[in-house]
Amino acid sequence: MKNSLLTSGLLAALVSSLCCITPVLALVAGASGIASTFSWLDPARPFFVGITVVVLGFAWYQKFKPKAKEEKECACEEDLQPSFWQTKKFLSIITVFAALMLVFPLYAHIFYPKSEKQVIIVDKSDIQTVNFQIKGMTCQGCAAHVVHEVNKLSGILNVTASYDQGNAIVEFDKSKTSIPKIEEAINSTGYSVTNKTEK
């Protein structure tokens, strides 16, 4: 029973952050198009976080609850030497791992490489800024994924993306790249451009 509780808690912790773990795994695997595969889970995230907290809380309660009188009198061999899977140490490892998974959306962006590139501007009249409205971003990792993909294009001067505002503002040299190419780069992440406005 305890092992099935821990498995349920771990599974709930993983599922709660799957929408943010997938883009990082996609970056590592080089398959950025699958990044938004689990973004539909984001609305259910509070539910999965709650399940994780309740299940792990109950598991810790089971570890620390006072033993019944009959249990104290029995000095069975198996009670004296519990397996590793039944120890507080194992439960601690599971709890720390679950906590790291629950807060993954807060630090997912650190897994994306910083792209420092030098852009030579020949004509300042070629500089253009466009605000792309993007559907499907749910965390800082999603926004970092969009920035990473757009920065691969030549002529990009600056990119900022915001998951809570659902947009990316891109400043670029239009003699080296174009709005359709930027839109294609954003769409390649699995998120989709819904609107764009020039600034």
Side-chain angles (χ1 to χ4, degrees):
M1 165 112 174
K2 286 181 184 177
N3 284 343
S4 61
L5 274 176
L6 292 180
T7 304
S8 301
L10 268 181
L11 189 59
L14 283 170
V15 170
S16 73
S17 296
L18 205 53
C19 59
C20 299
I21 293 170
T22 308
V24 173
L25 294 177
L27 175 71
V28 172
S32 63
I34 65 167
S36 67
T37 306
F38 293 101
S39 62
W40 60 272
L41 285 171
D42 191 56
R45 180 172 161 68
F47 172 73
F48 290 116
V49 169
I51 288 175
T52 303
V53 170
V54 168
V55 168
L56 289 176
F58 184 71
W60 278 106
Y61 169 76
Q62 292 289 87
K63 276 285 173 215
F64 285 108
K65 78 174 182 180
K67 294 190 179 205
K69 189 175 182 181
E70 302 87 40
E71 291 178 26
K72 287 180 183 175
E73 290 173 2
C74 174
C76 303
E77 187 65 33
E78 41 188 74
D79 284 342
L80 296 175
Q81 304 236 346
S83 70
F84 173 72
W85 309 109
Q86 298 172 331
T87 62
K88 290 177 186 170
K89 185 176 184 179
F90 178 68
L91 183 55
S92 298
I93 292 168
I94 295 296
T95 303
V96 168
F97 180 76
L100 287 172
M101 290 299 97
L102 290 177
V103 298
F104 189 83
L106 301 176
Y107 64 87
H109 64 280
I110 66 171
F111 292 101
Y112 291 91
K114 302 278 186 249
S115 55
E116 299 289 328
K117 55 188 199 174
Q118 189 174 10
V119 178
I120 299 168
I121 302 167
V122 178
D123 188 356
K124 287 191 177 189
S125 65
D126 286 336
I127 297 174
Q128 187 174 4
T129 304
V130 178
N131 182 7
F132 293 88
Q133 292 298 312
I134 304 169
K135 181 182 173 187
M137 295 191 297
T138 58
C139 69
Q140 290 177 344
C142 302
H145 191 197
V146 168
V147 169
H148 176 73
E149 288 301 313
V150 172
N151 267 326
K152 288 181 180 178
L153 299 171
S154 62
I156 301 296
L157 303 173
N158 188 32
V159 185
T160 55
S162 170
Y163 74 93
D164 55 342
Q165 294 179 17
N167 75 336
I169 298 171
V170 184
E171 184 181 14
F172 62 98
D173 184 339
K174 62 183 177 184
S175 69
K176 296 179 180 168
T177 194
S178 64
I179 293 173
K181 285 183 183 175
I182 296 169
E183 185 173 350
E184 184 181 330
I186 294 170
N187 289 337
S188 75
T189 62
Y191 314 114
S192 53
V193 174
T194 58
N195 193 19
K196 50 195 174 289
T197 52
E198 293 186 34
K199 288 187 138 193

